[in-house]
Amino acid sequence: MRNWSGGYIGGHAGGGYGRTSFSNPYGPSIYGGVVDTPAFLAGGQIGYNWQNNSWVFGIELDASGAVANGTSTCLASSGFVVSANCKAGPSLFATGAGRVGYAFGALGHTLAYLKAGLAWQNNRGGVINNFEGGWPQGRTHFDDGRVGGIIGLGVEQALTPAWSVNVEYDYLHFGGPSVATAATVQFPPFAILPASTTSLTSNYHIGKIGLNYHFGADPEAA
């Protein structure tokens, strides 16, 4: 019977889809306000498992570098307000989660599990006003870390006593910071709308494949 107890370390790669929503300080947007961000990531994980019969409990920490960037129209509360382009893209993710799983199959070599815990992201982007009739385009920039949450599920398959491979789906949610927006123009009638703030909310759907090395097992054993 396979024993999943003990520590492990490994690496992963994957990708997915994210969406960052920008609130509009001038009123409900007539369009835009949502930035879609395809994401590709790679990183590593470390964890520890405790097994009781076929049930496996564990904790896991992971960190990933991400390549992601998206842009969309935003702050378009009416056809008379100069809208902006909002940009967003995560560059780093880190999570700390608890896991609960069940080992099954031939000699318990397959582990299905659920995980949940805290997540952190670094999200970069900006808000750039569109054409303002010859005026300099107002712009702001953000580069912020933010704590959120993660839930996920996966399946891990033992290849040898020391090595296993897993596939995993994760959903991450982050309530965003308040980000400054530049003053903008309304016409007609002509008016300057003062600088304000927009709040961000980000959600990601990520799929990963990983390879783990389990400590204390013979890496050459079949």
Side-chain angles (χ1 to χ4, degrees):
M1 181 70 176
R2 164 75 188 214
N3 186 355
W4 290 92
S5 293
Y8 61 90
I9 191 170
H12 62 262
Y17 167 84
R19 172 166 283 189
T20 299
S21 299
F22 290 75
S23 67
N24 192 334
Y26 308 119
S29 292
I30 57 176
Y31 61 89
V34 175
V35 177
D36 293 327
T37 52
F40 303 92
L41 55 86
Q45 65 274 352
I46 187 168
Y48 197 93
N49 291 322
W50 297 267
Q51 184 165 352
N52 183 11
N53 296 321
S54 293
W55 290 98
V56 179
F57 306 90
I59 55 174
E60 185 175 270
L61 305 175
D62 72 25
S64 308
V67 178
N69 193 36
T71 184
S72 180
T73 301
C74 59
L75 312 190
S77 59
S78 78
F80 302 105
V81 173
V82 172
S83 61
N85 280 328
C86 287
K87 297 182 178 181
S91 60
L92 292 170
F93 291 111
T95 70
R99 303 201 316 173
V100 58
Y102 188 82
F104 63 95
L107 301 178
H109 282 190
T110 304
L111 175 66
Y113 62 87
L114 300 173
K115 63 186 293 185
L118 296 176
W120 178 89
Q121 73 159 345
N122 180 255
N123 199 5
R124 299 174 177 173
V127 181
I128 305 172
N129 289 353
N130 289 317
F131 179 69
E132 295 182 286
W135 289 34
Q137 287 177 292
R139 62 184 63 206
T140 60
H141 177 75
F142 62 89
D143 187 347
D144 296 302
R146 184 59 50 171
V147 175
I150 179 175
I151 57 173
L153 55 88
V155 176
E156 190 165 359
Q157 178 66 44
L159 303 176
T160 71
W163 293 97
S164 65
V165 63
N166 73 307
V167 292
E168 183 175 301
Y169 161 78
D170 294 324
Y171 171 76
L172 298 92
H173 172 80
F174 301 91
S178 294
V179 173
T181 63
T184 191
V185 178
Q186 172 185 286
F187 55 85
F190 178 80
I192 301 295
L193 301 183
S196 188
T197 58
T198 175
S199 60
L200 280 61
T201 302
S202 300
N203 302 283
Y204 303 93
H205 301 271
I206 302 294
K208 301 187 295 187
I209 183 168
L211 181 68
N212 288 321
Y213 175 79
H214 297 261
F215 300 114
D218 183 355
E220 297 182 359

